[in-house]
């Protein structure tokens, strides 16, 4: 165990998962951040935050539960949390807490966990690797997780590319999520083909082809445009401006469109007068992932 003679500051980016047909395998990190300051040792865990009354301030907090799952011998500390990642809006708020907990456990426990070990631990907690991999590594990540082994490759995004994120003010009319629970073999082949081309395009820096593949809707429920009507509205206006690369998050709460700052500002201006009930935010892509520093 290390002695805490100075504060440790953990910063974790927001994430979005399921780019196109990359269900539970492709994620991306955004420049909205969840920051945790690890302060003095305490008799009991104390998590200071202003994130809402439903989020615990004690050992029941997800950060602390993650820390103790990694190393149950770590002594209680005071943690202070600040976040501009919206909760329950499909941008990985819970994933940021898990990633922060892993980073804190690694530091306080002097565990020397590799990034692969951290991704594996987070994947086991979340049940899939896409969100935690992007939170820890940044950029777009492509991951495989079978319940035990996690393997991830980081794909760079062009520096000029940003994201326009639409956050729905209301809960979409979805029983579970935007994806079908069962698909035919032909649909599976189409989805696999689209995902293969998407990953190949990302790795070869063919961004235009990648964004076209992100818009393939093979896995979406058949009535996706009824469930999330803003998706078709945003895509329509984006296409009129020559912008491709719009997809809806797994929960249906967020719709993301990729483009340059100039393109996305044009789209935001158009959408500001469209019939959609939500907030629009122009956000940078995070290229670095979770960071740890002392103060």
């Amino acid at each position: 165990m290390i002695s805490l003679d100075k504060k440790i500051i953990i910063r974790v980016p927001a994430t979005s998962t399921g780019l196109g047909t990359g269900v539970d395998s492709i994620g991306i990190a955004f420049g909205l951040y969840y920051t945790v300051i690890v302060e003095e040792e305490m008799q009991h865990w104390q998590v200071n935050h202003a994130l809402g009354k439903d989020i615990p301030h004690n050992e029941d907090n997800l950060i602390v539960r993650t820390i103790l799952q990694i190393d149950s011998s770590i002594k209680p500390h005071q943690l202070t949390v600040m976040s501009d990642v919206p909760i329950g809006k499909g941008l990985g708020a819970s994933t940021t807490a898990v990633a922060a907990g892993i980073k804190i456990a690694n530091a306080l426990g002097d565990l020397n966990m590799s990034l692969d070990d951290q991704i594996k631990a987070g994947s086991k907690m979340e049940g899939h690797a896409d969100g935690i991999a992007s939170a820890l590594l940044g950029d777009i990540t492509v991951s495989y997780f079978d319940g035990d082994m996690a393997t991830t490759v980081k794909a760079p995004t062009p520096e000029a590319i940003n994201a326009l994120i639409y956050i729905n003010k209301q809960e979409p009319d979805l029983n579970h999520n935007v994806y079908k629970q069962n698909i035919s073999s032909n649909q599976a082949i189409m989805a696999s083909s689209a995902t293969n081309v998407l990953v190949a395009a990302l790795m070869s820096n063919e961004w235009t082809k990648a964004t076209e593949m992100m818009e393939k809707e093979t896995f979406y429920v058949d009535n996706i445009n009824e469930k999330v009507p803003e998706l078709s509205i945003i895509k329509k206006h984006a296409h009129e401006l020559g912008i491709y690369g719009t997809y809806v998050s797994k929960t249906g709460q967020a719709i993301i469109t990729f483009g340059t700052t100039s393109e996305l500002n044009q789209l935001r201006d158009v959408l500001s007068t469209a019939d959609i009930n939500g907030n629009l935010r122009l956000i940078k892509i995070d290229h670095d992932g979770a960071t740890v520093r002392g103060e």
Side-chain angles (χ1 to χ4, degrees), residues 48-125:
N48 306 315
H49 66 78
L51 302 178
K53 63 181 180 180
D54 295 331
I55 299 178
H57 291 269
N58 56 17
E59 66 275 4
D60 293 327
N61 187 282
L62 182 55
I63 304 171
V64 180
R65 289 192 282 119
T66 301
I67 293 170
L68 297 179
Q69 189 164 337
I70 298 293
D71 186 345
S72 61
S73 68
I74 290 176
K75 295 181 179 180
H77 283 73
Q78 177 168 242
L79 310 175
T80 296
V81 180
M82 297 166 288
S83 177
D84 56 5
V85 181
I87 296 172
K89 298 298 182 181
L91 292 175
S94 61
T95 299
T96 59
V98 170
I102 292 170
K103 289 293 189 183
I104 293 168
N106 192 43
L108 293 181
D110 199 18
L111 302 178
N112 295 314
M113 295 173 70
S114 67
L115 280 171
D116 285 343
D117 290 337
Q118 293 173 38
I119 292 169
K120 179 179 178 180
S123 300
K124 287 186 174 182
M125 294 175 197

Side-chain angles (χ1 to χ4, degrees), residues 190-264:
M190 291 292 289
S192 176
S193 299
T195 306
N196 292 342
V197 175
L198 169 56
V199 173
L202 290 171
M203 294 305 175
S204 60
N205 199 29
E206 296 185 70
W207 185 250
T208 300
K209 289 182 179 179
T211 55
E212 290 173 357
M213 292 299 106
M214 287 178 196
E215 295 200 350
K216 299 301 179 184
E217 300 182 352
T218 309
F219 281 148
Y220 290 162
V221 292
D222 291 332
N223 58 344
I224 183 63
N225 291 320
E226 296 176 16
K227 299 287 189 180
V228 188
E230 297 86 355
L231 177 61
S232 60
I233 294 171
I234 292 172
K235 285 177 70 173
K236 173 181 178 293
H237 288 298
H239 290 177
E240 288 173 352
L241 294 170
I243 303 169
Y244 291 82
T246 296
Y247 71 96
V248 60
S249 68
K250 187 175 181 179
T251 62
Q253 287 289 89
I255 298 171
I256 294 92
T257 302
F258 294 108
T260 65
T261 299
S262 175
E263 290 172 335
L264 297 180

Side-chain angles (χ1 to χ4, degrees), residues 69-195:
Q69 189 164 337
I70 298 293
D71 186 345
S72 61
S73 68
I74 290 176
K75 295 181 179 180
H77 283 73
Q78 177 168 242
L79 310 175
T80 296
V81 180
M82 297 166 288
S83 177
D84 56 5
V85 181
I87 296 172
K89 298 298 182 181
L91 292 175
S94 61
T95 299
T96 59
V98 170
I102 292 170
K103 289 293 189 183
I104 293 168
N106 192 43
L108 293 181
D110 199 18
L111 302 178
N112 295 314
M113 295 173 70
S114 67
L115 280 171
D116 285 343
D117 290 337
Q118 293 173 38
I119 292 169
K120 179 179 178 180
S123 300
K124 287 186 174 182
M125 294 175 197
E126 298 223 302
H128 42 85
D130 47 354
I132 194 70
S134 291
L136 292 170
L137 298 179
D139 267 321
I140 292 177
T141 58
V142 183
S143 303
Y144 168 85
F145 180 61
D146 63 3
D148 180 54
M149 180 183 71
T151 302
T152 297
V153 177
K154 179 176 176 176
T157 51
E159 289 290 338
I161 295 299
N162 298 313
L164 182 65
I165 301 178
Y166 167 81
I167 300 175
N168 202 326
K169 289 182 179 179
Q170 299 177 334
E171 193 79 22
D173 180 21
L174 295 166
N175 292 328
H176 180 58
N177 58 42
V178 300
Y179 301 126
K180 297 173 183 174
Q181 299 304 298
N182 297 288
I183 62 172
S184 68
S185 58
N186 285 339
Q187 289 175 320
I189 291 170
M190 291 292 289
S192 176
S193 299
T195 306

